[in-house]
Amino acid sequence: MISKTFNLTLHSITLQCKRVALFLFCMVCINASAAATNTNAVNTVAPSSQILTQVSNVHPVVGEQTVLRFELLVNGFFNGGTEFDLPSMSSARLSQASSFAINGNRTIAGTALSSQIWEVYLYPEHKGVIEVASVRFKVKYMDNISGESKTAILISDAVVLYAHIPASLIHAEQYIVSGSVLIEDQWSVSQPSYNVGDVIKREIKISVTNLPAMNIPRIFMTAPDGVSVMPLEAELTDNNNRGENSAILSQEFNYIIEAGGEFVVGGEEVLWWDPDVGLHRLNFSEIKLNVTGANIDRYSVLLSIIVLMLVVLLILGLKKQTLPIRVKLTQALLAKNWREFINLLYRRGDLISAPATIKPSLSLQTPHASTKVLQKHQLISQLFRACFSSTAENDDHGFKLKKEEKLFVREAFRNLIK
């Protein structure tokens, strides 16, 4: 009997505990529902101003255009210029899509708000994580609630992206990331044959979309030995038509033929990565050159020109240089220019101050005079009369050497020269 009573009491206590627990659970649910209702009620009230941040692609390819979209919203209408500065970055390049905002409106929580959209282009330059700091916007607007002009500071959310390089582009030195790429190639009028020294002109154009012209890589034009390439400055053109961006790179090249033979120029490859499709390979046109003429080495030509210039300078220098009188005397003797020979003897006598060595004053009857000295004196006297007497008609007339005297005369004159 006592055991039965105890069981009934325990059962009653358990039932009461369950009722209390159920009551508490219901109270918690009611409070939670009320809190949720209150939260929704708060969120249904649109703030006076706010900013929304959007990113077109958080996993772009290095070099691909990514659009950062900042939408400024105010409860009223904008009545002043918007001020903001883009953060500086080392891993990517930022550029403002336009100097004007896209104006519109948006309804949030039943409230019509004026919107102002600013787009910024981001171009990753390195592989890895890219962090874009918050952008601070300063806006001026007329508030509908208070009817007053206000200034607000709106700060965008920070953006984190990861730039990657596809496996097919890992070893590529340069490539273009765009939705559309078109290449054009135009050569000057072709000829059946060319000559060394001819110049061939070439113009290329690369047209892309969603990429600025400055981001189009410069194509490195190669040429075989015997042909050199001289590039001209590239021309860059950017176009913006209703939010769609396009760009054109135009560049001219001059191919100078330096040797004879057969050559193939052109045919360069352009790698194009389409984010929606993948890798494309484009090739410029190529032409064959048949060059007639000898194969001239430009370095040999340059060396020959330098040697020729040195020879000319040496000759001019020798002409300006004054030869010694002894050399001139020898030249006059060999040329049998006796008048010049006599004049040079006098000039030499003036320099050495020894006239006696020119015309010996020794008398013919001097007993000590040797035969050679007398013959030398007689020869010079005869030469004076032949060159400077009143009967001398020209340089060569009046002084003739006999065959047996030639050796003696030369020996005598050479003694004078010494």
Side-chain angles (χ1 to χ4, degrees):
M1 186 69 179
I2 296 174
S3 176
K4 186 177 181 180
T5 303
F6 177 78
N7 289 335
L8 290 175
T9 305
L10 182 60
H11 178 71
S12 177
I13 293 173
T14 303
L15 183 61
Q16 291 293 334
C17 290
K18 289 182 178 180
R19 288 177 179 177
V20 173
L22 181 61
F23 174 78
L24 293 176
F25 177 78
C26 291
M27 291 299 296
V28 170
C29 291
I30 292 173
N31 291 334
S33 177
T37 303
N38 292 335
T39 302
N40 292 334
V42 172
N43 289 338
T44 56
V45 179
S48 179
S49 61
Q50 58 180 309
I51 182 172
L52 303 177
T53 306
Q54 296 177 342
V55 184
S56 63
N57 187 4
V58 296
H59 193 49
V61 176
V62 174
E64 180 182 356
Q65 182 186 85
T66 302
V67 182
L68 305 181
R69 184 184 176 99
F70 304 100
E71 185 174 7
L72 314 180
L73 300 170
V74 296
N75 188 358
F77 60 90
F78 294 93
N79 65 349
T82 301
E83 301 176 7
F84 67 96
D85 293 319
L86 298 178
S88 59
M89 303 181 62
S90 59
S91 57
R93 187 174 63 84
L94 295 175
S95 65
Q96 193 172 324
S98 174
S99 56
F100 301 98
I102 302 173
N103 295 311
N105 55 73
R106 177 192 286 265
T107 301
I108 297 179
T111 303
L113 303 176
S114 296
S115 69
Q116 193 178 85
I117 299 174
W118 294 92
E119 290 186 346
V120 174
Y121 296 147
L122 181 145
Y123 302 96
E125 296 180 343
H126 304 286
K127 176 183 176 181
V129 177
I130 300 176
E131 299 181 4
V132 183
S134 300
V135 182
R136 182 176 179 273
F137 292 85
K138 182 179 180 180
V139 298
K140 297 179 180 180
Y141 67 99
M142 182 64 70
D143 186 31
N144 283 341
I145 299 176
S146 63
E148 298 177 352
S149 180
K150 292 185 177 182
T151 299
I153 302 297
L154 303 178
I155 299 177
S156 68
D157 296 332
V159 177
V160 178
L161 306 91
Y162 181 82
H164 71 286
I165 300 177
S168 54
L169 295 176
I170 290 178
H171 301 292
E173 294 183 1
Q174 57 183 14
Y175 55 87
I176 302 174
V177 182
S178 174
S180 174
V181 176
L182 176 65
I183 62 174
E184 301 177 52
D185 200 0
Q186 185 175 1
W187 298 81
S188 57
V189 180
S190 61
Q191 302 175 191
S193 63
Y194 295 87
N195 297 317
V196 175
D198 287 348
V199 178
I200 303 172
K201 296 184 179 296
R202 180 188 188 187
E203 182 180 0
I204 67 168
K205 286 186 179 181
I206 304 177
S207 304
V208 301
T209 58
N210 298 328
L211 198 69
M214 66 178 299
N215 281 28
I216 302 176
R218 307 299 184 265
I219 305 301
F220 179 70
M221 301 300 180
T222 60
D225 293 338
V227 179
S228 62
V229 185
M230 184 175 65
L232 278 66
E233 188 68 23
E235 296 182 4
L236 307 178
T237 305
D238 289 289
N239 299 309
N240 190 334
N241 185 13
R242 296 181 179 180
E244 294 185 0
N245 302 315
S246 62
I248 299 176
L249 180 145
S250 302
Q251 191 170 14
E252 293 184 1
F253 300 86
N254 289 331
Y255 288 77
I256 304 172
I257 300 176
E258 300 177 339
E262 294 184 356
F263 307 98
V264 177
V265 293
E268 295 82 5
E269 184 180 62
V270 177
L271 297 181
W272 160 34
W273 179 265
D274 187 343
D276 297 329
V277 179
L279 181 64
H280 297 270
R281 296 179 182 271
L282 306 177
N283 289 92
F284 286 103
S285 61
E286 65 179 21
I287 63 172
K288 295 183 179 180
L289 306 178
N290 183 16
V291 183
T292 60
N295 190 353
I296 302 176
D297 187 358
R298 58 181 177 181
Y299 296 106
S300 299
V301 173
L302 181 60
L303 181 61
S304 301
I305 294 174
I306 294 175
V307 171
L308 180 60
M309 292 179 62
L310 291 176
V311 170
V312 171
L313 292 175
L314 181 61
I315 293 174
L316 294 176
L318 291 176
K319 284 186 176 181
K320 294 181 178 179
Q321 184 177 4
T322 303
L323 297 176
I325 294 181
R326 183 172 60 84
V327 177
K328 291 183 178 180
L329 280 168
T330 304
Q331 292 177 345
L333 173 63
L334 296 176
K336 297 181 181 180
N337 187 354
W338 307 118
R339 183 180 291 272
E340 178 68 15
F341 184 79
I342 292 298
N343 290 331
L344 290 171
L345 282 178
Y346 270 103
R347 288 176 56 187
R348 182 171 179 270
D350 292 339
L351 293 175
I352 65 177
S353 301
T357 61
I358 299 176
K359 185 177 180 181
S361 58
L362 191 64
S363 174
L364 294 178
Q365 289 76 23
T366 303
H368 302 287
S370 64
T371 304
K372 289 186 177 181
V373 173
L374 294 176
Q375 289 178 345
K376 183 187 298 185
H377 175 84
Q378 187 177 6
L379 181 61
I380 293 176
S381 300
Q382 183 182 355
L383 186 59
F384 278 4
R385 290 193 301 270
C387 295
F388 299 102
S389 65
S390 59
T391 59
E393 297 180 358
N394 50 56
D395 294 344
D396 297 330
H397 184 73
F399 185 76
K400 301 290 184 180
L401 292 176
K402 297 179 181 181
K403 292 183 179 181
E404 60 273 12
E405 293 179 342
K406 288 183 178 180
L407 182 60
F408 165 74
V409 170
R410 289 183 180 178
E411 183 181 356
F413 283 159
R414 284 173 183 171
N415 291 332
L416 286 177
I417 293 173
K418 292 180 181 179

